[in-house]
Amino acid sequence: MANGGPVCGPISTFSRVQLLHLLFEASAVQTRSERTIGELCDATGLHPNTVREHLQRLIEGGYVIQASEHRTTRGRPRTLYSAATGTAEASSPIARDKAKAAAERGDLLRRVLPASASASALGRDATYQLDALIEHLEESGFEPVVDDEQLTVDLSPCPHAAGRAEDRPMLCTVHLGLMQGVLTEAGGPLAAETVRTTALPADCTVQLRLTEMTAA
């Protein structure tokens, strides 16, 4: 952030980034999208209690979904965790409520702002998607600047610029997944395509795109 404020939200610690990265990787595998506490501990080296605490915070934020394993044999079912990608199979009620509340707050602001700051020319659904995305980014410590024409969101200066350079690829991948989940949950024509970076660590721009159906 420009004012040097703390990084917050779902990517506030590297441990959460690791967990989200594992869950997003699992969501891309058709055979099994969930992971257990044990699997996450083995992959990260974190203590089970630490993993549970991080997962609980991510669940409360609407970024992770918790479910009980369906067993066909005797025994206590395991708890399974998956990334909330916003699809019908991985939709979080908390994320849906956050998207709805963001749209309501956006409508309220548009009623009191000048006409030049009215709803996006992309249409109502895209405007509501941007409402949800902007709130997510602000909660995560960014100061987003949206360009409706270029379909970009400028996040410079990135509050993660001071972190380790070797962690940036994973961080950017996770944050792109989070943004895509927010946009999908809000419902509309916009999708998050890529996070563009430069040689300067503080420079960061998200490229959005219209879905093929909408563009056609």
Side-chain angles (χ1 to χ4, degrees):
M1 295 175 63
N3 60 7
V7 177
C8 47
I11 52 177
S12 59
T13 70
F14 184 65
S15 293
R16 291 185 189 175
V17 171
Q18 285 182 298
L19 293 172
L20 284 166
H21 188 252
L22 290 167
L23 294 178
F24 277 123
E25 282 188 328
S27 69
V29 179
Q30 297 298 320
T31 54
R32 181 165 172 261
S33 61
E34 303 93 353
R35 290 293 179 263
T36 65
I37 289 286
E39 290 170 332
L40 294 172
C41 290
D42 290 343
T44 60
L46 297 172
H47 190 278
N49 289 341
T50 301
V51 171
R52 288 190 184 92
E53 182 178 348
H54 284 311
L55 289 173
Q56 184 57 40
R57 297 294 178 271
L58 293 170
I59 291 169
E60 292 171 355
Y63 304 109
V64 169
I65 301 169
Q66 174 182 310
S68 294
E69 180 184 36
H70 295 291
R71 294 181 65 96
T72 57
T73 59
R74 295 183 62 181
R76 182 177 180 180
R78 298 177 299 177
T79 301
L80 304 176
Y81 299 88
S82 59
T85 58
T87 61
E89 299 79 14
S91 177
S92 164
I94 295 173
R96 290 197 301 272
D97 289 343
K98 289 174 69 174
K100 181 180 178 181
E104 292 173 350
R105 284 188 287 269
D107 280 340
L108 178 61
L109 286 173
R110 283 183 284 273
R111 283 197 293 269
V112 299
L113 288 176
S116 59
S118 61
S120 167
L122 295 170
R124 185 189 66 176
D125 290 345
T127 296
Y128 288 160
Q129 282 183 293
L130 291 175
D131 289 338
L133 181 61
I134 289 170
E135 288 205 4
H136 160 71
L137 291 169
E138 290 177 343
E139 289 174 359
S140 299
F142 296 91
E143 296 181 345
V145 178
V146 178
D147 186 325
D148 290 1
E149 294 184 359
Q150 298 298 319
L151 294 181
T152 59
V153 184
D154 186 359
L155 301 180
S156 305
C158 175
H160 300 277
R164 300 191 307 173
E166 58 267 33
D167 294 337
R168 273 183 76 84
M170 181 188 295
L171 176 63
C172 291
T173 298
V174 166
H175 199 209
L176 182 64
L178 290 169
M179 289 186 284
Q180 183 56 49
V182 169
L183 291 170
T184 303
E185 199 68 74
L190 294 177
E193 185 172 55
T194 187
V195 175
R196 300 205 310 258
T197 58
T198 69
L200 300 176
D203 288 350
C204 180
T205 303
V206 179
Q207 182 66 55
L208 306 177
R209 65 176 173 83
L210 292 170
T211 60
E212 292 182 4
M213 181 179 298
T214 304

